[in-house]
PDB file of all heavy atoms in Angstrom:
ATOM      1  N   ALA A  36      -0.788 -13.557  -9.679  1.00 95.00           N
ATOM      2  CA  ALA A  36       0.574 -13.547  -9.135  1.00 95.00           C
ATOM      3  C   ALA A  36       0.572 -13.246  -7.641  1.00 95.00           C
ATOM      4  O   ALA A  36       1.240 -13.926  -6.856  1.00 95.00           O
ATOM      5  CB  ALA A  36       1.435 -12.528  -9.882  1.00 95.00           C
ATOM      6  N   MET A  37      -0.196 -12.246  -7.241  1.00 96.00           N
ATOM      7  CA  MET A  37      -0.186 -11.838  -5.834  1.00 96.00           C
ATOM      8  C   MET A  37      -0.939 -12.810  -4.937  1.00 96.00           C
ATOM      9  O   MET A  37      -0.736 -12.807  -3.724  1.00 96.00           O
ATOM     10  CB  MET A  37      -0.721 -10.422  -5.685  1.00 96.00           C
ATOM     11  CG  MET A  37       0.218  -9.396  -6.294  1.00 96.00           C
ATOM     12  SD  MET A  37      -0.256  -7.709  -5.945  1.00 96.00           S
ATOM     13  CE  MET A  37       0.269  -7.572  -4.238  1.00 96.00           C
ATOM     14  N   SER A  38      -1.780 -13.640  -5.498  1.00 96.00           N
ATOM     15  CA  SER A  38      -2.496 -14.638  -4.706  1.00 96.00           C
ATOM     16  C   SER A  38      -1.623 -15.849  -4.408  1.00 96.00           C
ATOM     17  O   SER A  38      -1.959 -16.672  -3.561  1.00 96.00           O
ATOM     18  CB  SER A  38      -3.765 -15.081  -5.435  1.00 96.00           C
ATOM     19  OG  SER A  38      -4.660 -13.999  -5.543  1.00 96.00           O
ATOM     20  N   ASP A  39      -0.497 -15.942  -5.099  1.00 96.00           N
ATOM     21  CA  ASP A  39       0.439 -17.053  -4.917  1.00 96.00           C
ATOM     22  C   ASP A  39       1.607 -16.573  -4.060  1.00 96.00           C
ATOM     23  O   ASP A  39       2.519 -15.919  -4.557  1.00 96.00           O
ATOM     24  CB  ASP A  39       0.928 -17.536  -6.288  1.00 96.00           C
ATOM     25  CG  ASP A  39       1.944 -18.653  -6.195  1.00 96.00           C
ATOM     26  OD1 ASP A  39       2.220 -19.151  -5.075  1.00 96.00           O
ATOM     27  OD2 ASP A  39       2.474 -19.031  -7.256  1.00 96.00           O
ATOM     28  N   VAL A  40       1.580 -16.912  -2.771  1.00 92.00           N
ATOM     29  CA  VAL A  40       2.632 -16.438  -1.870  1.00 92.00           C
ATOM     30  C   VAL A  40       3.992 -17.083  -2.148  1.00 92.00           C
ATOM     31  O   VAL A  40       4.993 -16.649  -1.599  1.00 92.00           O
ATOM     32  CB  VAL A  40       2.246 -16.610  -0.382  1.00 92.00           C
ATOM     33  CG1 VAL A  40       1.086 -15.702  -0.014  1.00 92.00           C
ATOM     34  CG2 VAL A  40       1.939 -18.051  -0.053  1.00 92.00           C
ATOM     35  N   ASN A  42       5.125 -17.104  -5.258  1.00 92.00           N
ATOM     36  CA  ASN A  42       5.589 -16.328  -6.403  1.00 92.00           C
ATOM     37  C   ASN A  42       6.691 -15.366  -5.955  1.00 92.00           C
ATOM     38  O   ASN A  42       6.558 -14.683  -4.939  1.00 92.00           O
ATOM     39  CB  ASN A  42       4.393 -15.553  -6.983  1.00 92.00           C
ATOM     40  CG  ASN A  42       4.761 -14.701  -8.168  1.00 92.00           C
ATOM     41  OD1 ASN A  42       5.446 -13.699  -8.034  1.00 92.00           O
ATOM     42  ND2 ASN A  42       4.270 -15.084  -9.328  1.00 92.00           N
ATOM     43  N   GLU A  43       7.778 -15.330  -6.697  1.00 94.00           N
ATOM     44  CA  GLU A  43       8.917 -14.481  -6.337  1.00 94.00           C
ATOM     45  C   GLU A  43       8.510 -13.003  -6.234  1.00 94.00           C
ATOM     46  O   GLU A  43       8.924 -12.299  -5.304  1.00 94.00           O
ATOM     47  CB  GLU A  43      10.049 -14.657  -7.350  1.00 94.00           C
ATOM     48  CG  GLU A  43      11.275 -13.821  -7.068  1.00 94.00           C
ATOM     49  CD  GLU A  43      11.965 -14.146  -5.747  1.00 94.00           C
ATOM     50  OE1 GLU A  43      11.827 -15.275  -5.238  1.00 94.00           O
ATOM     51  OE2 GLU A  43      12.651 -13.258  -5.210  1.00 94.00           O
ATOM     52  N   TYR A  44       7.720 -12.526  -7.191  1.00 91.00           N
ATOM     53  CA  TYR A  44       7.254 -11.136  -7.155  1.00 91.00           C
ATOM     54  C   TYR A  44       6.465 -10.866  -5.866  1.00 91.00           C
ATOM     55  O   TYR A  44       6.670  -9.852  -5.213  1.00 91.00           O
ATOM     56  CB  TYR A  44       6.378 -10.837  -8.378  1.00 91.00           C
ATOM     57  CG  TYR A  44       5.655  -9.519  -8.299  1.00 91.00           C
ATOM     58  CD1 TYR A  44       6.298  -8.333  -8.661  1.00 91.00           C
ATOM     59  CD2 TYR A  44       4.346  -9.442  -7.829  1.00 91.00           C
ATOM     60  CE1 TYR A  44       5.637  -7.114  -8.562  1.00 91.00           C
ATOM     61  CE2 TYR A  44       3.688  -8.232  -7.728  1.00 91.00           C
ATOM     62  CZ  TYR A  44       4.339  -7.068  -8.099  1.00 91.00           C
ATOM     63  OH  TYR A  44       3.684  -5.863  -7.990  1.00 91.00           O
ATOM     64  N   THR A  45       5.604 -11.789  -5.509  1.00 96.00           N
ATOM     65  CA  THR A  45       4.781 -11.618  -4.313  1.00 96.00           C
ATOM     66  C   THR A  45       5.648 -11.586  -3.061  1.00 96.00           C
ATOM     67  O   THR A  45       5.450 -10.743  -2.177  1.00 96.00           O
ATOM     68  CB  THR A  45       3.732 -12.746  -4.212  1.00 96.00           C
ATOM     69  OG1 THR A  45       2.954 -12.722  -5.406  1.00 96.00           O
ATOM     70  CG2 THR A  45       2.829 -12.566  -3.020  1.00 96.00           C
ATOM     71  N   ARG A  46       6.629 -12.461  -2.981  1.00 96.00           N
ATOM     72  CA  ARG A  46       7.535 -12.470  -1.815  1.00 96.00           C
ATOM     73  C   ARG A  46       8.320 -11.167  -1.733  1.00 96.00           C
ATOM     74  O   ARG A  46       8.483 -10.599  -0.644  1.00 96.00           O
ATOM     75  CB  ARG A  46       8.466 -13.671  -1.886  1.00 96.00           C
ATOM     76  CG  ARG A  46       7.744 -14.990  -1.659  1.00 96.00           C
ATOM     77  CD  ARG A  46       8.684 -16.140  -1.359  1.00 96.00           C
ATOM     78  NE  ARG A  46       9.905 -16.119  -2.149  1.00 96.00           N
ATOM     79  CZ  ARG A  46      10.257 -17.041  -3.039  1.00 96.00           C
ATOM     80  NH1 ARG A  46       9.474 -18.072  -3.254  1.00 96.00           N
ATOM     81  NH2 ARG A  46      11.372 -16.947  -3.700  1.00 96.00           N
ATOM     82  N   GLN A  47       8.780 -10.669  -2.872  1.00 97.00           N
ATOM     83  CA  GLN A  47       9.508  -9.402  -2.875  1.00 97.00           C
ATOM     84  C   GLN A  47       8.588  -8.251  -2.462  1.00 97.00           C
ATOM     85  O   GLN A  47       8.994  -7.364  -1.709  1.00 97.00           O
ATOM     86  CB  GLN A  47      10.096  -9.126  -4.251  1.00 97.00           C
ATOM     87  CG  GLN A  47      11.261 -10.012  -4.602  1.00 97.00           C
ATOM     88  CD  GLN A  47      11.774  -9.760  -6.013  1.00 97.00           C
ATOM     89  OE1 GLN A  47      11.294  -8.890  -6.735  1.00 97.00           O
ATOM     90  NE2 GLN A  47      12.759 -10.541  -6.416  1.00 97.00           N
ATOM     91  N   PHE A  48       7.361  -8.266  -2.967  1.00 96.00           N
ATOM     92  CA  PHE A  48       6.390  -7.228  -2.629  1.00 96.00           C
ATOM     93  C   PHE A  48       6.142  -7.220  -1.123  1.00 96.00           C
ATOM     94  O   PHE A  48       6.182  -6.164  -0.483  1.00 96.00           O
ATOM     95  CB  PHE A  48       5.081  -7.469  -3.389  1.00 96.00           C
ATOM     96  CG  PHE A  48       4.096  -6.343  -3.295  1.00 96.00           C
ATOM     97  CD1 PHE A  48       4.000  -5.403  -4.300  1.00 96.00           C
ATOM     98  CD2 PHE A  48       3.252  -6.223  -2.192  1.00 96.00           C
ATOM     99  CE1 PHE A  48       3.082  -4.361  -4.219  1.00 96.00           C
ATOM    100  CE2 PHE A  48       2.341  -5.189  -2.094  1.00 96.00           C
ATOM    101  CZ  PHE A  48       2.260  -4.248  -3.119  1.00 96.00           C
ATOM    102  N   LEU A  49       5.879  -8.385  -0.549  1.00 96.00           N
ATOM    103  CA  LEU A  49       5.641  -8.488   0.900  1.00 96.00           C
ATOM    104  C   LEU A  49       6.858  -8.025   1.691  1.00 96.00           C
ATOM    105  O   LEU A  49       6.716  -7.318   2.698  1.00 96.00           O
ATOM    106  CB  LEU A  49       5.285  -9.924   1.278  1.00 96.00           C
ATOM    107  CG  LEU A  49       3.845 -10.338   1.028  1.00 96.00           C
ATOM    108  CD1 LEU A  49       3.718 -11.851   0.987  1.00 96.00           C
ATOM    109  CD2 LEU A  49       2.937  -9.744   2.090  1.00 96.00           C
ATOM    110  N   TYR A  57       0.231  -5.089   1.045  1.00 97.00           N
ATOM    111  CA  TYR A  57      -0.065  -6.242   0.190  1.00 97.00           C
ATOM    112  C   TYR A  57      -1.571  -6.503   0.166  1.00 97.00           C
ATOM    113  O   TYR A  57      -2.169  -6.649  -0.901  1.00 97.00           O
ATOM    114  CB  TYR A  57       0.700  -7.468   0.688  1.00 97.00           C
ATOM    115  CG  TYR A  57       0.206  -8.775   0.135  1.00 97.00           C
ATOM    116  CD1 TYR A  57       0.576  -9.188  -1.140  1.00 97.00           C
ATOM    117  CD2 TYR A  57      -0.639  -9.593   0.880  1.00 97.00           C
ATOM    118  CE1 TYR A  57       0.116 -10.392  -1.659  1.00 97.00           C
ATOM    119  CE2 TYR A  57      -1.094 -10.798   0.373  1.00 97.00           C
ATOM    120  CZ  TYR A  57      -0.715 -11.187  -0.893  1.00 97.00           C
ATOM    121  OH  TYR A  57      -1.171 -12.371  -1.400  1.00 97.00           O
TER     122      TYR A  57
END
Side-chain angles (χ1 to χ4, degrees):
M37 292 188 76
S38 295
D39 178 5
V40 293
N42 179 290
E43 180 62 25
Y44 169 83
T45 303
R46 290 195 321 244
Q47 288 177 2
F48 190 98
L49 280 161
Y57 164 80

